[in-house]
Amino acid sequence: MISAQHIALDSDASGAVDGRHIRALTLQSVRMEYLCRVIGESNLAPAAGRALVVGSGRGLLARGLAGLGFEVVAADPSPAATTLARNADEGRGVTYRTTPAEHLDLPESSFDLVYCADTLEITERPDAVLAEAARVLRPGGAFVYDTVNRTLVSRLIYLGAFQAFPGTRIMPRGRYAAQRLRRPVELAEAFNRAGLSAKDVSAFKPRDARDLVRATRGCRRGTVTDGQLPELVGMVIEPDGSPLVTYLGYAIRRA
């Protein structure tokens, strides 16, 4: 019988289940697909632009942006995540910083694009996160994000399957809470307070919910590898879909 592994975020220790890394691997393809769309719609020039990833974890998304041509800074509150990210850089030239999303300690108007990952669904202070992101964005710059809606289904998945049920648990208890999951209309209001104009919301989901369950159970049991995970789950964007669980969006910083 295969024994369940233990939950340890921002860890590559043998036998550890790092739910942050699992989530980053699973979402990478839809994040990059959406970013390319936003770059085109916003007329951004990656080769001459600077991008910031907030909540960068092990740096997978930051390295993806660097591959598009951006000069990239990756910020994360976890020193362990920052170390793992630096070790995985392989010469991409990303600058890694350990700093909270609410206090980035970066110059004003210094980025053309900010991507907020793994943050809005766990912070108790979304207004502070958005105000800081808007501060470091240049006027006309794009703020891109993905997060979790607050619905019955999202609670079952994020509060139940991902952090309570033994067979599919990949996150520590308390990582997610119902009051920290936010509806798109609530974020749009918060964007406006921060000086950001919301432009789009697009739902995304696994190709088949049963595949997500299989992948999560496999990660929990140590039978699914990092390389197998993205294809097994197969996340897809639904541009015109109503977000039942997860969604991406972007906003533009007003002058």
Side-chain angles (χ1 to χ4, degrees):
M1 180 178 178
I2 300 174
S3 61
Q5 299 178 308
H6 67 279
I7 308 298
L9 300 190
D10 305 323
S11 172
D12 62 352
S14 177
V17 174
D18 182 356
R20 286 193 73 194
H21 187 50
I22 290 169
R23 196 166 184 269
L25 288 165
T26 303
L27 302 190
Q28 177 72 355
S29 62
V30 293
R31 284 172 167 172
M32 292 302 298
E33 179 183 344
Y34 193 75
L35 273 166
C36 289
R37 172 185 158 189
V38 172
I39 289 167
E41 291 180 358
S42 305
N43 296 315
L44 296 175
R50 300 189 75 228
L52 168 68
V53 179
V54 178
S56 58
R58 298 193 192 188
L60 185 63
L61 181 58
R63 292 188 291 276
L65 277 165
L68 294 179
F70 284 99
E71 177 187 342
V72 183
V73 174
D76 196 275
S78 165
T82 304
T83 297
L84 288 168
R86 286 198 181 104
N87 291 342
D89 187 79
E90 297 180 344
R92 292 297 181 95
V94 177
T95 299
Y96 299 97
R97 298 170 57 92
T98 301
T99 184
E102 297 85 353
H103 302 286
L104 294 170
D105 192 25
L106 292 164
E108 293 185 13
S109 304
S110 56
F111 292 94
D112 303 284
L113 183 147
V114 173
Y115 195 111
C116 190
D118 201 23
T119 299
L120 291 175
E121 62 271 17
I122 64 172
T123 184
E124 296 281 1
R125 301 173 61 202
D127 282 351
V129 171
L130 294 173
E132 186 70 345
R135 184 186 68 80
V136 302
L137 260 179
R138 64 164 175 79
F143 174 79
V144 189
Y145 66 95
D146 60 75
T147 192
V148 183
N149 200 354
R150 188 172 68 252
T151 65
L152 175 59
V153 176
S154 69
R155 293 182 193 187
L156 288 172
I157 294 173
Y158 274 81
L159 278 61
F162 286 168
Q163 65 180 26
F165 302 153
T168 56
R169 182 174 172 244
I170 57 172
M171 294 287 188
R173 289 178 175 83
R175 174 77 174 177
Y176 303 110
Q179 71 273 15
R180 297 198 295 268
L181 309 182
R182 296 177 175 92
R183 299 186 179 102
V185 66
E186 296 169 341
L187 281 186
E189 293 168 354
F191 292 153
N192 190 54
R193 292 192 295 270
L196 299 165
S197 297
K199 296 297 182 182
D200 176 71
V201 170
S202 292
F204 68 95
K205 65 179 185 179
R207 178 183 52 237
D208 186 321
R210 292 169 296 184
D211 291 334
L212 177 62
V213 173
R214 294 186 191 101
T216 306
R217 288 178 62 85
C219 289
R220 187 72 181 91
R221 292 162 59 87
T223 58
V224 172
T225 67
D226 287 357
Q228 295 170 326
L229 185 61
E231 179 59 30
L232 181 57
V233 176
M235 285 288 182
V236 293
I237 297 176
E238 293 188 320
D240 301 318
S242 177
L244 190 60
V245 180
T246 46
Y247 60 101
L248 307 109
Y250 80 98
I252 299 296
R253 183 192 166 187
R254 297 193 293 269

